[in-house]
Amino acid sequence: MSAPRLTDDEFSELVQEVETLEENLSRYLNAGQLAMREDRFQDAVNAFLVADKLRQNDSYIIQQLALATYKCKKPNPVSALAQGLAIINRLAPENSNDPETLGIAGAIHKRLWEATKERDEIDTAIRLYERGFAVRRDYYNGENLATCLDLRAGSQTDGNEALF
């Protein structure tokens, strides 16, 4: 059995399709990044949504889409956080070793705790930031881990309750 063969025209057409896809993807990623820098979060969401359709399951795009979504605060802050969490959960943060995924998921849970004061949210944020810090020893996850531990300590009402 011989391998499939493409004519020169078919090959050229295929190369053109791939180049066009990559150019479009680059354009939407750049637009999303610019919108994020300018705090135009809805524009960033729109750009990253298109990028996500062009290249599905790309962790960077999913991370940026989750970040822009929760920062957009639409239709309201808690709903935006829930939407952002649904997006970042595509990367299974509870099982991830990617510090960026862990940091974004931790940020969402920290903000959900700030909005709801549900203990599970701050505990989840701490767990995610702790793993993110253990993986890379980076400033972002470490500072947020410390902040979340402080927030949880400040909200405890039982003096005998353990922090960990």
Side-chain angles (χ1 to χ4, degrees):
M1 195 177 229
S2 63
R5 298 185 143 241
L6 296 174
T7 66
D8 287 345
D9 288 342
E10 289 171 328
F11 182 75
S12 293
E13 185 177 315
L14 188 58
V15 167
Q16 183 60 44
E17 284 179 33
V18 170
E19 287 175 351
T20 300
L21 174 68
E22 290 301 312
E23 288 170 7
N24 286 336
L25 179 62
S26 179
R27 188 172 67 247
Y28 284 106
L29 286 175
N30 289 336
Q33 292 163 345
L34 177 62
M36 289 292 287
R37 285 192 302 273
E38 295 176 350
D39 295 338
R40 294 181 292 111
F41 300 116
Q42 186 60 59
D43 291 341
V45 167
N46 295 340
F48 290 131
L49 278 170
V50 175
D52 187 43
K53 288 179 183 163
L54 292 173
R55 181 174 289 159
Q56 296 178 349
N57 300 318
D58 181 291
S59 60
Y60 174 78
I61 295 170
I62 294 168
Q63 291 163 349
Q64 295 307 300
L65 178 58
L67 183 64
T69 298
Y70 92 72
K71 286 184 172 257
C72 187
K73 299 181 181 180
K74 291 182 181 176
N76 60 63
V78 173
S79 293
L81 288 165
Q83 291 170 9
L85 185 58
I87 294 165
I88 201 69
N89 279 344
R90 291 170 49 193
L91 299 175
E94 290 287 346
N95 299 315
S96 177
N97 286 324
D98 182 328
E100 187 70 16
T101 296
L102 294 164
I104 292 169
I108 292 170
H109 283 285
K110 180 175 79 170
R111 284 165 177 77
L112 282 168
W113 176 82
E114 289 170 342
T116 66
K117 299 298 185 223
E118 290 181 21
R119 173 68 184 255
D120 187 51
E121 297 296 350
I122 197 72
D123 289 345
T124 301
I126 288 169
R127 203 170 43 254
L128 294 166
Y129 283 135
E130 187 172 41
R131 194 157 77 252
F133 182 70
V135 168
R136 188 182 288 163
R137 297 279 184 218
D138 67 318
Y139 177 82
Y140 178 82
N141 282 301
E143 178 184 28
N144 281 291
L145 170 60
T147 298
C148 285
L149 287 169
D150 190 48
L151 290 170
R152 185 170 69 184
S155 71
Q156 288 183 221
T157 56
D158 181 353
N160 295 320
E161 184 179 8
L163 282 176
F164 295 96

